[in-house]
Amino acid sequence: MDKEFKNYNSTDVLNIAIEHGVAAVLARVIETNQSQKSFFKDLTNFQLHQNLRNQLIDQQYYPTLIKLSEAGIHFVVLKGYALSHTVYPTPLLRTKADVDIIIRIDDKDAVINAFKTMGFSNPRGWNPTAIINQFSMRKTLSPGVNVDFDIHLRLSNERGVENIITFDELLKAADTNTLQNVPLVSKPYALIHAIVHMLHHRNVGDTVKLIWLYDLLLLCQTMNPDEKQTFRKLIDKKGLTKLANFALNLANSYFSDPSLVLTIEKLRDASSNSELDYLITIETRYQQFKRSFKQRESVLEKWMYIKEMAFPPAAEVYRKYGKKPAYYLPFLYIRRFIGGVIKHLSK
């Protein structure tokens, strides 16, 4: 393997691993390969410090979730935190910047109050309602060390699939055995969510992180026969066959794994909703805006969508440019608007 790495820069490898969320996984692999430890010294040192930091933050996650349960809040944990406990050998191997949970829309105020009693606040300063279906709560342990929660009101911020799986479905099927009193998204639903989440980011031109594809691999490897059958039925019922095939084939192009191939084969003859085909494409900024605008049915919804994108509250502007005197605000809005136009045109 020495020859495989001699033409690579170790700093570049470290930066790519961090960007794609696989630094912890790669560091674990290196532990079993003594010959590569010198080349990956920067990465192993980075991950050593990250593990210490993450252990500190992880100690806050579980007690917070328990307190939410004790407050009578119904929720299901999604994405990285759930997967770190259900499909990864150890939780620290799954990089995560926050904990994602989904709640009933009617419980939003109760959830905000529960987080506030635990010392959390909204880092954004306001809660968008038209452009995204989620909000954040944060507690700062020390400068630069934050405990972050993303609270989702629907499965996705993508209008086309936001209601394709309901909260009640997720709660009914949740894994309540892995972590006591903390419902984690079950593997069949986790695989659907991972597929939709990855394709949404790809559709808007974001980097497809390797860790997202690795999640797909581990879910396919660890699902038992009943879970695989449930996944197949859900894909057929929701018309997600084309999306699932595309995402799983993309993962298989990286990992070439029998479990991915078998999962793909089981999707034969399952139904597909052609209205969701746009998610396997990469759209321009204009195409994204045009589709998202069209998906808002009422005039009020369309106006709120434009308003939150172009003219959000001052808190959002200050978050981007820093706190300024009030008379600077109009100029900051103009700067934000022009910057957005330039960014969209460049894309």
Side-chain angles (χ1 to χ4, degrees):
M1 289 183 64
D2 293 332
K3 293 181 179 179
E4 295 181 22
F5 294 104
K6 69 178 183 179
N7 294 324
Y8 292 91
N9 183 290
S10 61
T11 302
D12 291 340
V13 173
L14 170 62
N15 291 335
I16 293 171
I18 293 172
E19 179 186 2
H20 284 269
V22 295
V25 176
L26 186 54
R28 178 69 172 266
V29 173
I30 294 165
E31 289 179 5
T32 62
N33 191 337
Q34 296 293 326
S35 66
Q36 298 303 322
K37 280 195 173 182
S38 59
F39 178 83
F40 286 108
K41 183 179 179 181
D42 290 344
L43 187 144
T44 53
N45 288 338
F46 166 83
Q47 196 55 44
L48 175 63
H49 289 89
Q50 279 296 105
N51 285 343
L52 294 174
R53 178 182 181 276
N54 292 339
Q55 285 172 349
L56 174 64
I57 297 174
D58 280 1
Q59 289 174 0
Q60 299 289 321
Y61 288 149
Y62 183 69
T64 302
L65 293 169
I66 290 295
K67 288 180 181 178
L68 285 180
S69 291
E70 292 174 346
I73 303 296
H74 295 289
F75 64 89
V76 178
V77 184
L78 303 171
K79 296 169 65 174
Y81 185 82
L83 296 177
S84 74
H85 288 277
T86 56
V87 302
Y88 281 79
T90 64
L92 286 176
L93 287 181
R94 179 48 165 90
T95 302
K96 45 195 176 293
D98 51 40
V99 174
D100 294 85
I101 66 173
I102 186 170
I103 63 169
R104 287 196 178 97
I105 295 176
D106 293 343
D107 290 341
K108 179 179 178 180
D109 290 341
V111 170
I112 291 174
N113 290 333
F115 271 106
K116 284 182 176 179
T117 63
M118 291 184 279
F120 286 79
S121 60
N122 181 351
R124 196 166 190 166
W126 68 294
N127 287 331
T129 58
I131 56 177
I132 58 174
N133 295 315
Q134 67 190 71
F135 60 95
S136 301
M137 299 299 289
R138 167 178 290 176
K139 180 167 67 175
T140 299
L141 302 182
S142 62
V145 181
N146 301 308
V147 182
D148 287 310
F149 279 78
D150 272 353
I151 298 92
H152 299 254
L153 304 177
R154 300 186 188 278
L155 180 75
S156 173
N157 290 321
E158 178 55 52
R159 272 293 175 106
V161 293
E162 65 178 5
N163 293 318
I164 207 160
I165 294 174
T166 67
F167 171 79
D168 289 335
E169 282 183 84
L170 292 169
L171 184 62
K172 183 178 179 180
D175 172 1
T176 56
N177 297 318
T178 301
L179 289 180
Q180 187 176 4
N181 297 322
V182 175
L184 307 177
V185 62
S186 64
K187 290 179 184 178
Y189 283 97
L191 183 51
I192 290 177
H193 188 223
I195 288 169
V196 171
H197 172 261
M198 186 269 286
L199 291 181
H200 167 66
H201 278 282
R202 182 180 179 276
N203 170 256
V204 300
D206 293 339
T207 298
V208 176
K209 295 183 179 181
L210 187 58
I211 195 69
W212 298 342
L213 298 172
Y214 194 56
D215 289 342
L216 301 184
L217 170 66
L218 293 186
L219 281 163
C220 289
Q221 286 181 337
T222 60
M223 283 195 300
N224 63 40
D226 288 341
E227 289 169 331
K228 290 177 181 178
Q229 185 62 25
T230 297
F231 172 72
R232 169 62 170 76
K233 289 179 179 178
L234 286 170
I235 289 294
D236 187 45
K237 180 180 178 181
K238 310 292 184 179
L240 299 174
T241 304
K242 192 167 186 176
L243 303 189
N245 270 320
F246 184 89
L248 295 176
N249 273 297
L250 182 60
N252 195 51
S253 69
Y254 284 83
F255 300 111
S256 189
D257 187 85
S259 63
L260 286 165
V261 175
L262 183 60
T263 304
I264 293 167
E265 289 177 351
K266 286 185 176 294
L267 297 179
R268 288 180 182 176
D269 302 322
S271 63
S272 184
N273 181 358
S274 60
E275 292 182 1
L276 301 178
D277 287 355
Y278 71 89
L279 276 173
I280 65 174
T281 67
I282 300 176
E283 295 180 318
T284 65
R285 295 282 184 175
Y286 173 72
Q287 289 173 322
Q288 294 164 32
F289 173 79
K290 182 179 178 181
R291 175 179 48 75
S292 295
F293 185 76
K294 186 177 180 180
Q295 288 172 333
R296 272 81 183 164
E297 296 179 357
S298 70
V299 174
L300 179 59
E301 283 184 308
K302 293 179 187 295
W303 162 243
M304 290 300 297
Y305 177 65
I306 293 175
K307 182 176 181 292
E308 288 189 0
M309 285 188 64
F311 306 104
E316 181 73 7
V317 179
Y318 290 144
R319 189 171 75 98
K320 183 174 183 178
Y321 299 111
K323 185 68 175 178
K324 306 287 184 182
Y327 60 83
Y328 270 92
L329 192 58
F331 300 100
L332 295 178
Y333 274 112
I334 294 171
R335 179 183 175 185
R336 185 179 189 278
F337 181 78
I338 294 174
V341 170
I342 294 173
K343 181 179 178 181
H344 284 221
L345 290 175
S346 67
K347 290 288 184 179

